[in-house]
Amino acid sequence: MEGTVFDIQRNSLNDGPGIRTTVFLKGCALNCLWCHNRESIAVKPLLRFYPDKCQNCMECVTVCDAEAHLDLEGKHAVDFARCVQNWDCIQVCPSGALVKTGKNMSIEEVMQIFLKDRDYFDRSGGGITLSGGEPMIQYEFSKSLLAECHVQGIHTCLDTTGYTPWERLKSMMACTDLFLYDYKETDPKKHKEFTGVDNILIRENLARLNDAGAAIVLRCPVIPGMNDNEEHLGEIARLSRMYEGIREVHILPYHTLGIGKAEQHGIKAEHVTFSIPDEKIKAHWWTILNSHDAKNFRIF
Ligand code: SF4
Ligand code: SF4
């Protein structure tokens, strides 16, 4: 069995307990305005262009029958909309300016990478984390990979939006030690506006996971002016008190790290960029959460 992986990060410290290897799978049903992994949304691999590495040799223009590479008076440019993903250009590019984001990997290939860090996992209480995108889009692969980790005695985390049929999420409990569960917005209409879907299924699945005894870290991206209001932060606090399964709440302030990466994939940031919260704003969030008796929360 194979999955489409777009990145594997070893020595990761913020994707669950201890030192972890995080595998990023392609595909997501949501499209958050603030997404910092926009290249992950499509399941299929994408062409990535690093302008800084380009030597303007025009080898790619010569081989691309789709005319996705352009020679603009000696300066190379890419028309990503024309790309038909046959990767001919990558083969001839002399400088590594063109790469493919997303490759098919077998369970065995991914496990070989995990097992390199086995000692670190054991000594730090770490393990592996499946992230994305949304790993549940590649459900069969995700389930088989985490099950194999358990066979090898490796701790597993599943980073999920929760936007998936309950029967699937339930079946992941047998191979998932800790769910990193996203909670993005409380108001269903705003949730749809921000992410493309409402939050009804996400909230239902959170309640079901809790009732079924899962261990959960609630991960909450907070974006100034969008979802940093008292109604939403107060609800995060209420959930942290109400659900015993929620061991910690992680407040993840907005950052802009993904914007350059999106542009290198020809994905226009059609959304506005938001302001990066300063310490004063984060202190305000802390005050709201604290005033609502939020349990075990951290602002990163
Ligand atoms: S992958 Fe193929 S179609 Fe896409 S830009 Fe390269 S050569 Fe052209
Ligand atoms: S082949 Fe590579 S270096 Fe040459 S123009 Fe194309 S992207 Fe630039």
Side-chain angles (χ1 to χ4, degrees), residues 49 53-60 76 92-95 97-98:
F49 172 52
K53 294 185 182 175
C54 179
Q55 300 170 355
N56 295 304
C57 68
M58 307 303 164
E59 290 292 332
C60 53
H76 166 257
V92 298
C93 179
S95 62
L98 298 169

Side-chain angles (χ1 to χ4, degrees), residues 17 30 61 112 122 181 198 233:
L30 276 62
V61 179
Q112 275 177 16
D122 291 346
Y181 200 98
D198 69 40
L233 295 174

Side-chain angles (χ1 to χ4, degrees), residues 32-36 38 220-227 251-259 269 271-278 281-282 285 299-300:
C32 304
L33 293 176
W34 50 78
C35 180
H36 58 270
R38 290 194 162 263
C220 309
V222 178
I223 291 77
M226 302 297 282
N227 62 354
I251 302 294
L252 309 173
Y254 173 71
H255 62 75
T256 54
L257 296 179
I259 291 176
H271 59 289
V272 284
T273 52
F274 305 100
S275 59
I276 297 171
D278 58 19
I281 290 176
K282 289 190 211 171
W285 298 350
I299 300 178
F300 283 76

Side-chain angles (χ1 to χ4, degrees), residues 228-238 240-241 282-297 299:
D228 63 342
N229 50 68
E230 182 144 11
E231 184 203 353
H232 179 51
L233 295 174
E235 180 62 7
I236 291 171
R238 195 182 75 86
S240 76
R241 287 185 274 105
K282 289 190 211 171
H284 180 58
W285 298 350
W286 190 92
T287 303
I288 296 175
L289 287 159
N290 208 35
S291 71
H292 286 265
D293 293 326
K295 271 175 62 186
N296 299 326
F297 73 93
I299 300 178

Side-chain angles (χ1 to χ4, degrees), residues 42-57:
V43 178
K44 67 179 183 185
L46 295 177
L47 182 68
R48 182 171 189 175
F49 172 52
Y50 293 96
D52 293 353
K53 294 185 182 175
C54 179
Q55 300 170 355
N56 295 304
C57 68

Side-chain angles (χ1 to χ4, degrees), residues 138-154:
Q138 299 189 52
Y139 164 64
E140 297 289 352
F141 180 79
S142 295
K143 192 173 161 192
S144 300
L145 184 57
L146 294 194
E148 183 56 30
C149 288
H150 267 193
V151 169
Q152 302 283 344
I154 298 174

